[in-house]
Amino acid sequence: MGEKKWAEVRPSEDYFRILNPDGSVKDGAKASVPEVSREELLRWYEVLVETRTFEAMVLRLQRRGVLSVAASSRGEEACGLGAAAALQAGDWLFPAYRQLSAVLYWNAPVDRIMAGLMGNTPEHIREHLPLPPELPHSVNMMPYPIFLGAYIPLAVGCALADKLNGRKHVSLAFVGEGSTSEGDFHDGLNFAGVLESPCVIIVQNNQWSISVPASRQTAAATFAQKAVAHGLPHERVDGNDIFAVYDTVKKAVDRARAGGGATLIEAVTYRILDHNSADSSAVYRTEDEAEYWKTLDPVERFEKYLFNAGVLEQATKTAIEERAEKRLREEIDRGRAVPPTSPDDMFLHHLQGEPGWSVKHQRDELACELAGGNPFLDMTGEGVQ
Amino acid sequence: MTRINELPVTEDMNLVTAVTHTLRQEMQRDPSVRVMGYDIGPIGGVFRATEGLFDEFGPERVIDTPLSENGLLGVAVGMAMRGERPVIEMQFLAFMYNAWGQFIYNLANLHQKTGGAMKVPLTIRATFGGGIKPLPFHSDSTEAYLMHTPGVRVVCPSTPAQAKGLLAAAIRSDDPVVFLEHTKMYRSFREPVPVADYTLPLDKCRVVQEGSDLTLIAWGNMLHYSIAAAAAVAAATHASIEIIDMCSLAPLDVAPVLASVKKTGRCVIVHEARRTAGPGAEISALINEYALEYLKAPVKRVTAFDVFFPENQIEDAYLPSPGRIKSGIEAVLNYQF
């Protein structure tokens, strides 16, 4: 471990905020509290509880060796949820890395997520955890990308396809602040501007891309202002304030749907925990800043608001927590019960139709090896016996 | 599949007019086909491959884009996964290196990553190859980079009629296809091309000439140099040379190569790509693995060298010429174990 660490630069809090960290409504912001039904507010709260519960369960499973790696969105949950709640069924959602709350809001099947974390192929998961014939109305969710920023041009094209065909759908994509340094981010924004693509790009600025702080990603004052050069409108919001995120994204989504083009939104938040279970943030940063950000926690803030507003009471909170715990445990058990994927699955779905001579031959080689044979005895190309 | 020689009405076309003709026909047939790229609108492409299409189909079917290969490819993949059939023009294959991320992460991987749930019916038209003495990075023949990536088909026509059938098949394919257009061949010769629409298989090579003494494998412009070299050798020696047009580079059509080499016992592979880890390395390795006992001579590769495509004055020494190919054929034919 080196001795030097990065100095942290606290981002400006000169951003759009509705809820104060103590759950009160910011002075003068009362008029801008978004109109959301009591049921919807409780749904948001439930998704936040589920997100936190599931990620804690997954982290424990990783520590027990059940999963090879696990990441958490703790402290950032309002970004994904506030944005996802602004979408409509039929829209498209391109997650980046820490948007579990977004997909849970739209009823992503947790058993399938678990089976995916266990390293099963999509084909295998589909076979063992079939979806019900009547799917709930939902958005279209892209799989987690792993690569950084490369979904941004894709989301722009996806939205453009809807526009060119007169469909009123919006595509929403997330990117971390580190990935704004990737060319893909700028390619996407540039094309979105020129082609007037109905999409919304959200920079979930959690201050750290593994070990590199936001101050080393850009010399610009904010990530939001990167939209200026691409001719796009931009907003910068308190990413730990679910009302601010929802309200801002909703306006951007509505504008895109109405033909007004793309918007870039920076949601300012903080990665409280390590990058993932393979990381140790103590190596490169002091923990003081994380302590500060814990006082801005998005879930506690929203919970306080709900209590103050009379939407939530202790009995309801306990019931939501118990229901989440029970449901997630069952879903995780179902995901873990999926039998191991066959190695042969690796050959599936690279091309439609015939995969070609070499892939067919290699597939036979692996089958031969797994059956205890020597796969290298074909000297004439007539096939592995 | 319709046989080309059963289509009586033809027009004389060169490679570039055959491409334009096919694009127009496919766009008329299917409204989801959209041509995209930079310099493809009013100018009609720097080689005029999209000439007239902007006027005929308008800016939503012929989309002039900002100048970024990576942005172009990524946005087009996003459209393709939603049911559009974009045909994007990579002005030069060497310009596509900027799009490496989108090529692998999204174009090639999306179908597999989603367990087959999403598909990417996208065609990349990329010009490639040397011989017209342009600027640096306008002549690269780096199809091996593409062939090393799973999830993508790569085809390379060597005649206008073949170009029409392969391009139509590429556009109609639900797989991503890279369609390589050799710049030297764009206007080098014309041939009768059937006017009615037809497709050719994307995964089958073509035996141009049957023979019994040596298998000569080439594609693109090198096929024409190889045909000339083979004719020169045959005239002098009466050797019987089998010529295979390896138009389907990925997946590689292996079986006809092995069958041919088992028959002839000798093989020369010709390509403009650099030699080390080039397509010829794979073909030679397959022959070594599966036809060794039939060989009467080592397999030789007549290729470009492992250097950057050189300056204009010396590019003729870099590219395999008919004379160099002839030397390769003679060396293998004359070899005695």
Side-chain angles (χ1 to χ4, degrees), chain A residues 328-358:
Chain A
L328 293 169
R329 204 164 289 287
E330 287 167 2
E331 299 262 11
I332 285 174
D333 287 347
R334 253 202 313 280
R336 291 183 63 185
V338 169
T341 297
S342 159
D344 183 66
D345 266 25
M346 75 175 77
F347 291 103
L348 300 177
H349 293 120
H350 284 76
L351 291 172
Q352 326 251 345
E354 290 298 309
W357 191 95
S358 292

Side-chain angles (χ1 to χ4, degrees), chain B residues 200-216:
Chain B
L200 289 170
L202 294 169
D203 56 357
K204 295 276 181 287
C205 66
R206 180 172 70 108
V207 177
V208 176
Q209 170 183 308
E210 291 192 11
S212 54
D213 295 327
L214 182 138
T215 303
L216 186 60

